[in-house]
Amino acid sequence: GDYISANFSASADFKVGEAIRYLHNLDYTVRIKYKEFINRKEEERRIIFELQKKFLLLNTLNGYNYISAVEQDERARIHEFMERLVEDKGIRKDKVQQAELKPVAETKSIIRRSASNIDIIKEICKKLGQDGKDIQRKDVLAEAQRLGIKPSSVLLADYCDNTKTGNWSPHKFLHSVSPGRYRLK
């Protein structure tokens, strides 16, 4: 329940909850197992040690002080970490679904499910912003939803060169013109 609520005041719960949401948006199935141990701390250290030999773990992402941290910034940091984890094949490759999606707008290229949400959103924005046209947030959300991305996971401000949350993102391909309106950078 703590991971589902992902309360921002509980750093670990928020990190795990946001990571799960990110993976769900990529159509991964997330399973959580629980096993009781007499010496749970020792067993936890052993399991983490073994897993770190093969995988990048969310445990390596530092926590934050919820009083001074900005929730949107922390969410973006977790999403960036998860994107790297998925791209670096931190998740076993045999579990990745390779189902194809429909083309974006008129494009002939097919975006595969293995593409990150950021890549898909970037493609959507490129098509909507052709020839210097303004990009409307509602249009991006509609196209993202059509492609199976939950609108709540599309945070266009994170991809802007002139927004607070965009300052923390390496993915800057938009410029915010006004609320809900963007242009390609």
Side-chain angles (χ1 to χ4, degrees), residues 36 58 166 170 172-173:
E36 222 171 296
L58 186 60
K172 298 176 185 173
F173 52 87

Side-chain angles (χ1 to χ4, degrees), residues 75-88:
R75 181 174 287 112
R77 193 169 64 95
I78 295 163
H79 289 190
E80 186 177 315
F81 179 91
M82 294 305 296
E83 178 186 9
R84 187 174 59 141
L85 185 142
V86 171
E87 286 176 356
D88 289 348

Side-chain angles (χ1 to χ4, degrees), residues 17-28 30 75 79 101 113 117-118 120-121 124 137 140-156 159:
E18 279 300 316
I20 290 169
R21 286 186 187 118
Y22 182 90
L23 293 172
H24 277 178
N25 285 331
L26 294 177
D27 289 335
Y28 285 97
V30 177
R75 181 174 287 112
H79 289 190
L101 295 175
R113 280 310 274 166
N117 281 2
I118 292 170
I120 296 169
I121 299 305
I124 292 169
R137 182 177 189 276
V140 175
L141 295 179
E143 186 64 17
Q145 187 167 20
R146 189 182 72 76
L147 292 171
I149 298 173
K150 294 179 183 172
S152 61
S153 69
V154 179
L155 307 169
L156 295 179
Y159 311 130

Side-chain angles (χ1 to χ4, degrees), residues 5 14 25 32 39 48 58 67 78 121 128 152 159 174:
S5 64
F14 183 76
N25 285 331
I32 298 174
N39 189 344
I48 289 171
L58 186 60
I67 294 171
I78 295 163
I121 299 305
L128 294 174
S152 61
Y159 311 130
L174 293 175

Side-chain angles (χ1 to χ4, degrees), residues 33-41 43-44 47:
K33 293 183 179 182
Y34 176 82
K35 188 173 181 182
E36 222 171 296
F37 291 97
I38 294 170
N39 189 344
R40 69 178 182 85
K41 288 292 185 185
E43 189 61 23
E44 178 182 24
I47 291 169

